[in-house]
């Protein structure tokens, strides 16, 4: 009888030990899987893995800019203008090519949904308050100012000639804009197709203050969500940035470029890419909302 009891106790201890070991193993596996998933999420958010993209190099990090949503030249070597995304303060940031904040320029206007910034040859900056996620805005405006006198702001109000409903049916929601570009006395707007992600419509308005019905210039076959636009200094290469990808169009001039077929280039791993500007014909700077600053080299 005593031997049976001893055997039972030993068996119980062995079962308990095995169960405990299995529990630890299960917990350890679950923890490892959880950490791996978290690591992937963090990597995606921070742009990890971008080093594997040919031509792309991270050159800095912006710590003082909340969700950088555009890039423009300042006219001074080694610096850019940028700004925050929807919901941030109406501040134009001057940053270095490594992402360091050099200055903050308070712009005395409301910021409904700033999405882009571009600059003309005279040093005027155009801030596009044209974000229109729900395609229902009737107060689209581009702010024109010279950063040397930011208190003097001019307004370019606009509406789209082909929008009659606010908002239109879901498949027709192609009136959001996160990309603008100054060229030849006009500001060009490139839409983000929220309805079907198939077409970026290109509109233009004069670069002078006033109220305008924008001119529909072109419809580009872009299978993505356009977040910024950049034109090379020689005017022969247009980049339409999107989220973790970009579309490149090349020709002799912007009117010809807008008839060219886009080349799609993956930026997977670079985070939510939102800002783009050329410093040289073959060098493009890219920013993402997480604060990373990259260069992309064209061959």
């Amino acid at each position: 009888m005593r031997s049976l009891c001893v055997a039972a106790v030993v068996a119980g201890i062995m079962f308990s030990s095995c169960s405990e070991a299995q529990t630890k193993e299960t917990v350890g596996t679950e923890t490892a899987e959880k950490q791996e998933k978290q690591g992937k999420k963090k990597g995606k958010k921070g742009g990890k893995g971008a080093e594997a993209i040919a031509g792309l190099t991270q050159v800095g990090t912006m710590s003082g800019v909340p969700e950088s949503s555009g890039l423009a030249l300042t006219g001074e070597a080694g610096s850019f203008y940028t700004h925050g995304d929807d919901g941030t303060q109406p501040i134009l940031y001057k940053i270095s090519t490594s992402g360091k904040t050099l200055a903050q320029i308070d712009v005395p206007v409301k910021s409904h949904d700033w999405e882009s910034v571009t600059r003309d040859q005279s040093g005027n900056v155009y801030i596009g308050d044209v974000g229109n996620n729900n395609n229902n805005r009737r107060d689209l405006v581009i702010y024109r100012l010279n950063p040397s006198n930011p208190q003097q702001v001019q307004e370019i109000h606009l509406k789209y000639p082909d929008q009659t409903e606010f908002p239109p049916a879901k498949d027709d929601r192609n009136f959001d804009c996160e990309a603008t570009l100054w060229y030849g006395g006009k500001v060009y707007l490139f839409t983000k197709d929220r309805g079907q992600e198939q077409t970026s419509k290109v509109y233009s308005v004069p670069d002078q203050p006033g109220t305008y019905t924008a001119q529909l210039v072109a419809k580009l076959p872009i299978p993505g969500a356009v977040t910024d636009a950049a034109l090379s200094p020689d005017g022969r290469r247009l980049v339409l940035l999107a989220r973790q990808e970009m579309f490149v169009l090349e020709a002799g001039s912007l009117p010809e470029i807008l008839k060219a077929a886009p080349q799609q280039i993956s930026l997977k791993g670079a985070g939510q890419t939102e800002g783009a500007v050329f410093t040289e014909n073959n060098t493009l700077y890219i920013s993402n909302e997480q604060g990373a600053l990259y260069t992309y080299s064209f061959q």
Side-chain angles (χ1 to χ4, degrees):
M1 185 70 174
R2 182 178 179 182
S3 60
L4 290 173
C5 291
V6 171
V9 170
V10 171
I13 292 173
M14 291 178 64
F15 178 79
S16 176
S17 299
C18 290
S19 298
E20 182 178 357
Q22 289 174 347
T23 300
K24 288 182 178 179
E25 182 180 358
T26 301
V27 171
T29 301
E30 290 176 349
T31 301
E33 289 177 352
K34 184 176 181 181
Q35 289 175 343
E36 183 181 0
K37 289 179 181 178
Q38 288 177 341
K40 288 180 180 178
K41 289 180 180 179
K42 289 180 180 179
K44 184 176 180 181
K45 181 179 179 182
K48 303 294 184 182
E51 63 274 5
I53 301 171
L56 190 73
T57 304
Q58 183 167 349
V59 293
T61 302
M62 293 173 284
S63 58
V65 182
E67 298 184 357
S68 172
S69 189
L71 283 177
L73 299 175
T74 65
E76 301 174 10
S79 62
F80 305 114
Y81 288 126
T82 188
H83 57 82
D85 204 345
D86 181 17
T88 59
Q89 296 297 311
I91 298 173
L92 193 63
Y93 297 88
K94 184 179 180 181
I95 63 169
S96 71
T97 51
S98 63
K100 180 182 178 181
T101 300
L102 304 175
Q104 293 187 21
I105 302 170
D106 293 319
V107 183
V109 299
K110 293 182 179 180
S111 172
H112 184 96
D113 190 0
W114 286 15
E115 288 291 355
S116 63
V117 59
T118 186
R119 179 180 175 273
D120 67 19
Q121 295 174 338
S122 300
N124 298 304
V125 170
Y126 302 82
I127 301 170
D129 194 340
V130 288
N132 192 12
N133 292 350
N134 297 321
N135 282 234
N136 60 354
R137 286 186 64 183
R138 297 175 183 263
D139 58 350
L140 303 174
V141 60
I142 297 170
Y143 295 112
R144 182 181 192 264
L145 66 133
N146 192 306
S148 63
N149 184 18
Q151 297 303 310
Q152 185 175 346
V153 181
Q154 297 174 313
E155 298 182 358
I156 301 170
H157 295 269
L158 65 111
K159 63 179 180 179
Y160 298 114
D162 50 342
Q163 182 173 14
T164 57
E165 297 179 312
F166 299 83
K170 288 187 177 181
D171 284 349
D172 298 327
R173 293 186 182 181
N174 196 359
F175 300 100
D176 185 17
C177 177
E178 295 189 8
T180 59
L181 179 69
W182 181 90
Y183 177 85
K186 296 181 180 180
V187 179
Y188 288 79
L189 302 96
F190 300 79
T191 65
K192 181 178 186 178
D193 186 353
R194 289 188 172 274
Q196 303 181 48
E197 289 197 1
Q198 295 180 356
T199 305
S200 178
K201 292 192 290 185
V202 185
Y203 298 91
S204 71
V205 292
D207 65 2
Q208 298 300 310
T211 300
Y212 304 97
T213 297
Q215 179 184 358
L216 179 60
V217 178
K219 294 182 179 181
L220 304 177
I222 303 295
V226 174
T227 58
D228 205 2
L231 186 67
S232 60
D234 63 5
R236 301 176 66 88
R237 176 181 287 136
L238 172 68
V239 166
L240 296 182
L241 190 66
R243 292 183 176 179
Q244 301 199 70
E245 63 183 343
M246 62 182 176
F247 300 87
V248 183
L249 299 87
E250 298 179 336
S253 64
L254 184 59
E256 295 176 1
I257 285 173
L258 297 179
K259 300 176 184 178
Q263 174 192 3
Q264 187 173 5
I265 297 176
S266 174
L267 298 176
K268 189 175 182 180
Q272 189 167 320
T273 45
E274 293 272 344
V277 67
F278 279 96
T279 53
E280 299 175 356
N281 289 327
N282 294 323
T283 303
L284 179 75
Y285 274 77
I286 297 173
S287 66
N288 72 11
E289 280 200 350
Q290 292 74 41
L293 194 62
Y294 302 97
T295 58
Y296 184 87
S297 299
F298 291 90
Q299 300 302 319

